[in-house]
Amino acid sequence: MSRARTAAALFTAPLIVAGVLSAAPAPAGAAPRSAKSLTCQGKGVDAGAKVRARTETVIDAPLSAVWKLQTDVERWPSWQTHVTSMDRLDHGPFRPGSAFRWTTPVPPNPATPATSLDITSTVEQLRRGACIRWTGPAVGEGLHIDGVHVWSFQKVRGGVLVRTEETHTGEQVDGDVPYATEILKQGLEAWLGELKTAAEDRSR
């Protein structure tokens, strides 16, 4: 896959970049690369992955509001710019074993016509109000990336400290690790920016 094609796919997949093209403000306070990896119930990101990123922000909203936005996955399209469809694959409370399939567009570029990525995420670990860890592939024409994503939520002065860390593995991203890592970092910051905006707007 060419660099241009990889870029187009990475820049529009929320699992991969979480809406980096959105207008939501990117949060400050990215964690240093040396920071200890996030975990949920003792499980973290893929230790062997070459591509990994982590960031965090404080959201001025109740923990319950932030948690509901993040775990009510069927409503992601209402506040995540690049989630174009979402199907919850199970019923009941969001819990370990919950799975959801979602899509995001890949616009036309010099290398490929417009297409979309299909993402299937499965919750592996969850502690209500505290952390989530899900895994799953993102698949598009000529692209396959396996991701592991960990989220941490903690009440602090001024709201909720939300931390997130993600790793990617796959032929395309492993082919240019610094580039894929930077794109992933920008994506996590954009996702947190949209989560922050939505939670604070709905809590006013």
Side-chain angles (χ1 to χ4, degrees):
M1 173 180 280
S2 69
R3 183 184 180 95
R5 182 170 179 171
T6 301
L10 292 177
F11 265 103
T12 52
L15 174 67
I16 301 166
V17 301
V20 70
L21 297 180
S22 74
R33 292 181 62 87
S34 60
K36 184 178 179 181
S37 287
L38 296 177
T39 62
C40 184
Q41 296 187 324
K43 300 291 185 179
V45 293
D46 184 345
K50 298 177 182 178
V51 177
R52 66 178 59 224
R54 176 177 170 179
T55 192
E56 62 186 49
T57 194
V58 173
I59 299 177
D60 183 11
L63 175 58
S64 60
V66 177
W67 180 261
K68 181 174 176 57
L69 273 171
Q70 185 70 350
T71 59
D72 190 1
V73 296
E74 291 173 296
R75 295 185 181 274
W76 279 5
S78 71
W79 60 271
Q80 289 209 55
T81 309
H82 297 286
V83 178
T84 55
S85 72
M86 167 65 75
D87 292 308
R88 176 82 182 267
L89 302 180
D90 65 313
H91 301 284
F94 195 72
R95 62 193 184 278
S98 289
F100 44 102
R101 182 179 298 120
W102 39 311
T103 59
T104 186
V106 178
N109 65 86
T112 62
T115 185
S116 65
L117 286 177
D118 295 315
I119 303 160
T120 302
S121 300
T122 302
V123 177
E124 306 289 351
Q125 284 79 31
L126 179 147
R127 186 155 61 91
R128 192 159 302 280
C131 66
I132 313 167
R133 177 180 178 269
W134 65 59
T135 65
V139 180
E141 184 179 353
L143 177 67
H144 183 110
I145 297 175
D146 289 305
V148 182
H149 203 160
V150 179
W151 294 84
S152 170
F153 305 83
Q154 179 184 356
K155 287 184 179 181
V156 296
R157 183 183 298 273
V160 181
L161 173 61
V162 182
R163 297 186 177 103
T164 186
E165 183 174 13
E166 187 169 4
T167 54
H168 290 163
T169 56
E171 180 181 352
Q172 291 80 22
V173 293
D174 288 347
D176 193 339
V177 171
Y179 179 72
T181 299
E182 179 59 27
I183 295 304
L184 175 58
K185 177 184 174 183
Q186 291 177 22
L188 294 181
E189 290 174 348
W191 190 327
L192 282 185
E194 290 196 317
L195 179 62
K196 177 180 176 71
T197 297
E200 291 180 350
D201 284 350
R202 297 181 190 193
S203 298
R204 288 193 178 104

